[in-house]
Amino acid sequence: MPPHRPEITEPCRVRFAPSPTGSLHVGGARTALFNWLIARRTGGRFILRLEDTDRERSTPESEAEILRVLTWMGLDWDEGPYRQSERDDVYADAVERLKASGAVYAAYETDEELEEQRAEARRNKQAPVVRGRREYSDEELARFAEEGRRPVWRFAVPLPGETVIEDMVRGTVTFGHDNIEDFVVVRSDGSPTYNLAAAVDDVEMGITHVIRGEDHISNTPKQMLVMRALGAEPPAYAHIPLILGPDKKRLSKRHGAASVEEFEADGFLAEPLCNSLALLGWSFDGKTERFSLPELVEAFSVGRISKSPSVFDLRKTEVMHGRYLRMMEPEAFTEALVNYLRSTGFIDAHGGEPAVEIVRRSAPAVKGKIARLSEYVNLAGWLFEPLAIEPAAWDVLTADVKHSIQVIGGGLGRLESLPEFTVEAVKDALQDQLHVMGEAARDFLEPQRIAVTGRLVSTGTYESLALLGREEAFSRYRATLARLADIWATA
RNA sequence: GGCGCAUUCGUCUAGGGGCCUAGGACGCUGGCCUCUCACGCCGGUAACACGGGUUCGAAUCCCGUAUGCGCUACCA
């Protein structure tokens, strides 16, 4: 691994700076996680900043969702959220200084002219960069004013020259200024662009380390240029590898569950999700994989962040999540399950508080069998509805009607004499009955389970019976027996 | 097209010249356990992109090639 890689050891000031244009995706969540981890690890500060300079696409809903998800994940911030849309004066001040020093210039090119400039460069197999005209005659200026043409302000990239990033993950990365165009810093409507706002904010907020996705690396020299023009020294940078979908392209909504919100809705818990996210692009020793959030804080280091992108493996995330659920304290699991089922509306849809009781009682029977909380419904959903035997399960019973009747009847008869109806008592009784009847466990127990749950897949036979309680269990037994008897009679 | 980055089992990864006939995990697979679905346990499968160097010795260092990805906006 990239052993002597620089490490952050002093308390740092890091930031997570999403643009509120959608829900928080896995990639962004991991970036937030890494920043948060290193802040907590070093006793530094984690700052939240919303980059909403794109007023068209930024929405308050998205912002609220991002804050909510971050909180859900357990990633609390020490400062902010700052909003770039509320910091116009800060940027205006920076722009004034840039103008005063001649670091930026007004450019009046039309879209067509810019397009032609880039096309021309392409034709010559050159970098498609834009260099605006810096001098205009008074007549031209007057004409533009008359036409209502407003300039954008471009950064005058110094030529010749180069900007070098000493990236904490990738090492030295050099960009020749020939390949950096005179990027726009102020739009024609006077608003700041991302490269200006991000640079100004990182300086102004005293950010010491910028940890962000690799997709930002080509913006970095631009931002460094702005910072230096402002007389500031850029922070340290760590560009982390992208998270890919199965097709090796950057993970996005196209790949299915790509937003944290969806994972949450699918019944994933925050801590194990963070655990999985942390393992994408970072490893501790190549062997240890289970980390609680506090353990991650303890173990995390930027020096062990990988340089190459990683494909997100949903299956592995699920497996790890299942293990986490199995290891939870029973009470914690039950509460998490109840909370989840409340949030999905399952509780309300099944009678409210009485349903909570059923969930609580059945939780132990599903703990250890599910990887995601949403799977509870498949295993125990039948508990909340009247008996309805699904077709495939009915086929099992009717494959040998006579045998089913005998076995189910035998089970019922034995159970009816039970003084108490606990899992243990039911188990002992059924096991005994199975031997008495000389049946194989499978041939005997499967029909019992189907008779009362109606499902091919459900909680275990003994648990299911005990969960239903004597009366309900017997009534279901009898209903199933009656149906089978009908078939037997007509056959 | 330009610039940048990356490249170890299908996937996540360990690996800083000999400890590597490449380790762990998921997947897949064989078996055990077993009332369904799962869990758990035991075993197997499978990788250093390619080509040149450097070196007694390279997955590890250098160069090149290939491939992939990112960026290439008055989006962030």
Side-chain angles (χ1 to χ4, degrees), chain A residues 23 95 340:
Chain A
S23 55
V95 168
Y340 171 73

Side-chain angles (χ1 to χ4, degrees), chain A residues 98 103-104 118 128-131 154-158 162-165 175-177 179-185 193-200 202 212 215-230 234 237 239:
Chain A
L98 255 16
V104 299
R118 294 193 175 102
V129 301
V130 164
R131 306 274 173 222
R154 290 182 180 275
F155 189 91
V157 176
E162 60 179 31
T163 292
V164 179
I165 308 170
F175 287 86
H177 288 4
N179 301 309
I180 302 176
E181 74 175 4
D182 285 351
F183 52 99
V184 174
V185 122
T193 61
Y194 162 73
N195 280 129
L196 188 271
V200 170
D202 284 339
R212 66 195 352 176
D215 51 336
H216 281 296
I217 201 159
S218 48
N219 285 138
T220 303
K222 297 177 185 173
Q223 294 171 200
M224 290 171 77
L225 248 13
V226 171
M227 291 174 184
R228 290 192 171 128
L230 251 15
Y237 289 95
H239 287 94

